[in-house]
Amino acid sequence: MFPAELSRIERTLLVIALVFIIIIAVKMTMFFVTIILTSIFFAMLAYPSLTWLKKKGLSDIVAVSIITVIACLVIVAFILLTVLSVNTLINDIPLFQQELNMRLADITHLLQTVGIPNNALSLPQVNLDSIISLVISSVMGLGEAVIFLFFVGVTTFFLLLETPHLGTRFRQLGGKSPETIRQVSRMAGYVTDFIVVRTETNLIHGVLFGGFLSIMGVHAAILWGILVFLLGYIPYIGLIIASVPAIFFAWLQFGVWGAVAVIAAVCVLNLIVENPVYSYLAAQKFEVPALIVIISVIFWGWLLGLIGMFFAIPLTLLLFLVFQIFEECRWINRVMGVSHLFEEDQADSPTFVPESQ
């Protein structure tokens, strides 16, 4: 990696300087980097379908075109459903405000019954209209979102066309040993598995959670199910954050017991939906210490915003791969407790980088 005449300390300093330069460069080109990362995410998600269609005898261009059309229809339906749910939420704000005022009055009455006078504690007046409008305006930038999705779609389309040839091209790179190629193939399999399984799990979780809220009669149940699906990609904290609005609106409508019911549903769904996923990944020794996961979410979120938090685990796995490829950095994987990801008994892991056809 570095000239042999350099001392160990000099090599370490060069690595640190290079890391800081890369971080600054990524931060300055965040919009471009997020487009590339999102495209890679969708390409990995679509790769199993691409492989299946090619086994049916379809050419690359036909298979990719079919996947692209289906993906566009799904995304459009997803966006329309989200917009419809948000509009319903906005239209019902006056009703929500009345319910909130009633709940705050109940709290004030409860405080009086335990001997706390009104002048000792006055609850603030909350304007839901201004709060929800502020949240929506900060989250939704329609023009930028359309441009972002357009470039992601185009990049993903051509990335899928190139996917069948990536394996041969990588093996033709000079100086790449069979061990390095095997490590790259194995980690690409880990990342692909995580993305596919995580997406399937989030979909199940979102449908069940939204369905439960709909049966219960909670306002904007579909929107909270969509939120669970999206934020489920963020490890540990994503599902907790996604459940907060549903708990709040259940409290508005049904009081404390409504909030308790939603909390119980969240716990049950985590038990019956999340555990099989982690069992599946653990069966392939996909075990990363919780502290590393949390730190990766914080770091990638700072570096790339919300997209970085979504892709924290795949990006961290790829970073581990870089550490493993360069002998000077392998000690980092050992210190972090993830060196088992590259051990020999993982040789049966699936690969994302395929053979050329």
Side-chain angles (χ1 to χ4, degrees), residues 180-232:
T180 299
I181 295 174
R182 185 174 58 82
Q183 299 285 14
V184 172
S185 179
R186 176 187 302 154
M187 189 54 67
Y190 281 135
V191 174
T192 305
D193 279 346
F194 175 83
I195 290 174
V196 173
V197 175
R198 184 72 263 176
T199 300
E200 294 173 348
T201 305
N202 288 358
L203 181 60
I204 296 173
H205 206 150
V207 170
L208 292 178
F209 188 65
F212 171 79
L213 295 179
S214 298
I215 295 173
M216 188 175 173
V218 177
H219 293 306
I222 296 178
L223 182 60
W224 311 137
I226 293 174
L227 196 62
V228 165
F229 170 76
L230 292 176
L231 296 186

Side-chain angles (χ1 to χ4, degrees), residues 106-178:
D106 292 341
I107 295 176
T108 302
H109 177 71
L110 178 62
L111 295 176
Q112 291 175 352
T113 58
V114 297
I116 301 178
N118 290 337
N119 55 6
L121 179 61
S122 59
L123 296 177
Q125 294 296 321
V126 180
N127 190 338
L128 283 180
D129 192 0
S130 59
I131 294 176
I132 294 178
S133 299
L134 178 62
V135 172
I136 292 175
S137 62
S138 62
V139 172
M140 292 188 176
L142 183 59
E144 184 176 342
V146 170
I147 295 175
F148 181 82
L149 289 176
F150 172 77
F151 284 117
V152 166
V154 173
T155 306
T156 304
F157 179 84
F158 288 102
L159 181 60
L160 283 172
L161 286 178
E162 293 296 322
T163 297
H165 312 291
L166 294 179
T168 300
R169 292 175 184 174
F170 184 80
R171 282 186 288 271
Q172 289 175 348
L173 291 176
K176 297 299 180 183
S177 64

